[in-house]
Amino acid sequence: MNNVERLKQEKDGLEVYKDLDRFAQEGFSSINEDDMLRLRWCGLYQQKPNEGHFMLRVKVPGGELSVPQLRAVAGITKDHARGISDITTRQNFQFHWITAETIPDTLRRLDEVGLTSAGACGDIFRNPTGCPVAGIDPNEIFDARPEVAQLHKYFHMNQEFSDLPRKYKTSISGCAVHCAQPEINDIGATAVRRQRANGEWEEGYQVRIGGGLSTRPYFALKLNMFVPREKLWDIFRAVTVVYRDFGHRENRKKARLKFLLMDWGIERFESEIRKNLDWTPDSAVEWPDPIKNFQDHVGVHAQRQDGLFWIGAAVLTGRMTDRQISAAADIADRYGNGTVRTTNQQNLLFPYIPQAQVEDAKRALLDAGLTFNASVFRRAAISCTGSEFCNLAITETKKLLGEIVSHLEQTVELDELIRINLNGCPNSCGQQQIGDIGLQGCLVKTPGAETVEGYDISLGGRLGRDSKFVRPINRKVPATKIKTALEHLLKGYIEQRAEDDDFGDFVDRHTDAELAELMKTAFAEGVESPKLVAAAPSAAPFVGE
């Protein structure tokens, strides 16, 4: 039995909530090693360099926040987090600089507005993600927010499922684009409809299981089931029971649901799911996946409700100040319906703005430093926390991504959205395996034997009908050379692309050597040229968001 399984058997992770007041009174040094790990069930990770501070992750089911909730986030950011918070790729908010003494007050303030950090980390049902334009998208199949709320409520503080083999990520979406990324979740539910014999239409879900990234990326596989909307919670329960009872617990590197699915195959897994149901699902509805499932939601868009609009604002790297968060709450309160949405691209969305108020809302957003008319590079670029706060990151990320985006905005004219996913280690919080451009942190030895931060450059990732993980092209590129390498790559793409090409098509049509050749002029004389590679990045523990 590994150490984590031992401590979970000795004391459930959620039980550590009972100790928080004592930790606050006795201080950081009073928390023993086992309880330090159990604090993840409260949404808390030790913050680098592990000398008294924590990161606290707050769950935002489906990405929807009320104005009072957003103001609570702003207040905590100001009072306990040194004025900064981050939006994550799973629609959460993350605070840094939390101390043992401030944990009780922080959690109390979250609870007062209906927010929680319980289960935001740890081997447990994590924050369920959804489409950030649920209920307002003119093209959605149906509004899946009721199911998101139901599943969040069912699994919240539910000790029947608080000891899973590993972290457990889910998405539920009613949109036709699948922007909630079902392919890379442990469970991904997407809306479908079927016509009954009497001609009536019934709404339900296609469910797939076993997706995930990190050092062994794997696309989820579809269950052969049509799941009526009212039965979705039961399918999630049954899948979770199977994973809880049969998932691998000996080796944490192979404890995610995807490894059990790899060993069993989809047919056996589905058979075990059916054993845990008291009803018999019909066969799945043949519903084609979208060709590409990306939608960034940035800009001004008409809602399905006549005369109303949403405005999506790009928040590069997801980092916001307390003043920006407060301003966002004011904008939603004054111009919208009192709600804000977070997206899995680390952006913010303001719904229900009357047409007559759109221009005023746009000015208010610009005054707050929130950009709705973002460039094709800024609107979809994402990054992990990086070495600033994360114990596992090898490289700094957020500042570098800002430099890359600013450089490309000044040097490359492109009318096509390019997704740059940057991660400071192999563990995929920044989802580098599915970006048009995936950047993974590493260390580089220069010819003078100096070690500097660098990145592996990979290309061509996407989700949707033609899902692909990135292809590694150049390894160990010094971080200072990344922006120029990408500039040359994209200029080469502009010069050489075919009439109907997008960037993914271009990558598919070119060899690794050809793509590397486009970038190589970026590397200064005297710096060892990066090596062309065909192998996956080296292995590392399964950790992170």
Side-chain angles (χ1 to χ4, degrees):
M1 182 182 300
N2 65 60
N3 183 57
V4 177
E5 289 300 317
R6 173 193 60 78
L7 70 87
K8 288 192 294 183
Q9 288 195 11
E10 292 176 357
K11 177 180 175 182
D12 188 280
L14 294 176
E15 292 295 318
V16 79
Y17 270 96
K18 300 175 182 177
D19 301 310
L20 296 182
D21 287 337
R22 176 172 61 84
F23 296 155
Q25 293 170 4
E26 299 178 4
F28 180 85
S29 61
S30 69
I31 308 173
N32 65 44
E33 184 177 348
D34 286 356
D35 280 339
M36 194 68 76
L37 194 145
R38 293 187 185 100
L39 283 174
R40 296 181 183 182
W41 275 250
C42 304
L44 290 154
Y45 273 100
Q46 286 192 80
Q47 176 179 302
K48 186 179 182 178
N50 299 341
E51 295 177 352
H53 294 96
F54 295 92
M55 178 275 287
L56 175 65
R57 186 177 297 152
V58 181
K59 294 168 80 172
V60 185
E64 188 166 18
L65 288 151
S66 68
V67 163
Q69 289 173 333
L70 197 59
R71 286 184 172 143
V73 170
I76 293 167
T77 301
K78 179 181 179 181
D79 296 341
H80 298 320
R82 299 192 184 180
I84 59 168
S85 290
D86 297 334
I87 305 171
T88 77
T89 55
R90 293 196 62 79
Q91 300 178 286
N92 300 300
F93 265 98
Q94 283 184 178
F95 303 118
H96 301 284
W97 301 110
I98 303 298
T99 65
E101 291 78 11
T102 60
I103 289 171
D105 181 65
T106 300
L107 297 186
R108 176 189 58 78
R109 290 160 71 167
L110 292 173
D111 184 65
E112 286 175 349
V113 293
L115 290 174
T116 183
S117 63
C121 313
D123 300 348
I124 197 168
F125 186 93
R126 299 286 186 92
N127 186 59
T129 60
C131 175
V133 291
I136 62 176
D137 178 6
N139 301 310
E140 74 179 348
I141 300 169
F142 58 78
D143 183 357
R145 286 179 297 173
E147 285 75 50
V148 173
Q150 181 185 35
L151 285 159
H152 169 67
K153 182 178 180 181
Y154 177 74
F155 283 99
H156 175 62
M157 297 296 286
N158 186 340
Q159 289 188 262
E160 185 180 354
F161 302 108
S162 58
D163 176 13
L164 301 179
R166 202 62 174 85
K167 57 187 168 186
Y168 194 56
K169 300 178 180 181
T170 62
S171 72
I172 307 102
S173 176
C175 82
V177 183
H178 294 184
C179 67
Q181 304 175 324
E183 300 95 332
I184 59 169
N185 277 267
D186 292 286
I187 311 181
T190 50
V192 295
R193 292 189 298 163
R194 69 174 180 180
Q195 194 168 23
R196 294 174 172 171
N198 62 5
E200 294 181 355
W201 287 92
E202 181 182 11
E203 297 175 340
Y205 287 94
Q206 169 71 69
V207 176
R208 62 191 89 198
I209 62 172
L213 296 178
S214 199
T215 57
R216 293 277 301 275
Y218 193 78
F219 290 127
L221 301 180
K222 292 179 180 179
L223 297 174
N224 184 23
M225 299 178 181
F226 173 83
V227 182
R229 294 185 65 175
E230 68 274 11
K231 294 291 189 180
L232 185 66
W233 75 272
D234 202 26
I235 291 293
F236 271 56
R237 178 199 59 79
V239 173
T240 310
V241 166
V242 174
Y243 176 48
R244 180 196 65 194
D245 295 349
F246 295 100
H248 304 321
R249 293 180 180 266
E250 296 82 6
N251 183 349
R252 285 185 65 78
K253 294 182 181 180
K254 295 185 176 180
R256 291 290 299 274
L257 187 150
K258 62 185 176 183
F259 291 104
L260 180 62
L261 181 60
M262 289 178 194
D263 289 348
W264 279 10
I266 191 65
E267 292 82 8
R268 179 181 172 186
F269 206 114
E270 183 171 322
S271 175
E272 292 293 336
I273 293 169
R274 290 176 181 270
K275 291 177 185 177
N276 284 277
L277 302 173
D278 60 5
W279 55 284
T280 303
D282 293 341
S283 297
V285 174
E286 290 297 327
W287 196 282
D289 289 331
I291 294 175
K292 293 182 179 177
N293 76 349
F294 183 77
Q295 185 173 345
D296 66 15
H297 309 102
V298 172
V300 181
H301 300 266
Q303 295 184 188
R304 65 188 305 173
Q305 296 83 8
D306 289 342
L308 296 177
F309 292 77
W310 85 71
I311 303 178
V315 183
L316 185 60
T317 76
R319 177 147 299 172
M320 301 184 72
T321 66
D322 61 284
R323 291 186 178 182
Q324 285 181 309
I325 300 170
S326 292
D330 292 341
I331 292 166
D333 195 25
R334 181 173 182 180
Y335 301 109
N337 74 332
T339 64
V340 172
R341 316 277 183 93
T342 56
T343 82
N344 57 19
Q345 295 297 304
Q346 301 177 305
N347 294 326
L348 271 187
L349 187 149
F350 299 81
Y352 292 96
I353 299 176
Q355 185 171 5
Q357 301 269 38
V358 167
E359 292 303 317
D360 289 340
K362 286 163 62 176
R363 282 191 288 271
L365 287 168
L366 292 176
D367 288 344
L370 299 171
T371 308
F372 58 85
N373 55 349
S375 72
V376 297
F377 307 112
R378 185 173 297 267
R379 62 195 295 161
I382 62 175
S383 76
C384 71
T385 298
S387 59
E388 179 183 13
F389 296 121
C390 178
N391 287 288
L392 298 162
I394 302 169
T395 58
E396 189 280 328
T397 57
K398 292 188 179 294
K399 180 182 177 182
L400 178 63
L401 184 59
E403 292 175 355
I404 292 170
V405 168
S406 295
H407 180 79
L408 294 178
E409 288 173 336
Q410 295 169 24
T411 58
V412 179
E413 292 187 13
L414 190 61
D415 57 0
E416 173 191 342
L417 189 144
I418 298 293
R419 297 171 298 112
I420 303 173
N421 291 42
L422 187 149
N423 208 73
C425 76
N427 292 295
S428 308
C429 299
Q431 302 176 345
Q432 70 272 22
Q433 294 97 332
I434 60 171
D436 290 314
I437 298 170
L439 304 173
Q440 179 175 304
C442 59
L443 297 178
V444 181
K445 279 194 175 181
T446 66
E450 179 188 5
T451 299
V452 299
E453 292 188 1
Y455 281 85
D456 297 339
I457 303 177
S458 301
L459 304 175
R462 74 207 70 165
L463 300 179
R465 197 177 308 172
D466 187 29
S467 294
K468 293 181 181 179
F469 295 122
V470 289
R471 288 158 45 200
I473 304 299
N474 278 327
R475 274 198 83 213
K476 295 186 176 297
V477 180
T480 55
K481 305 300 179 184
I482 294 292
K483 61 185 179 184
T484 312
L486 297 187
E487 174 197 344
H488 292 186
L489 170 70
L490 292 170
K491 285 181 175 178
Y493 163 55
I494 293 169
E495 293 172 358
Q496 300 179 25
R497 62 180 171 179
E499 182 178 354
D500 296 329
D501 264 353
D502 64 14
F503 184 75
D505 298 327
F506 181 81
V507 171
D508 290 348
R509 289 194 298 101
H510 286 75
T511 67
D512 293 355
E514 290 169 338
L515 294 168
E517 181 71 16
L518 291 176
M519 289 186 272
K520 78 171 188 178
T521 53
F523 308 118
E525 186 176 352
V527 176
E528 185 177 353
S529 179
K531 297 177 181 179
L532 177 68
V533 295
S538 58
F542 282 76
V543 291
E545 165 68 293

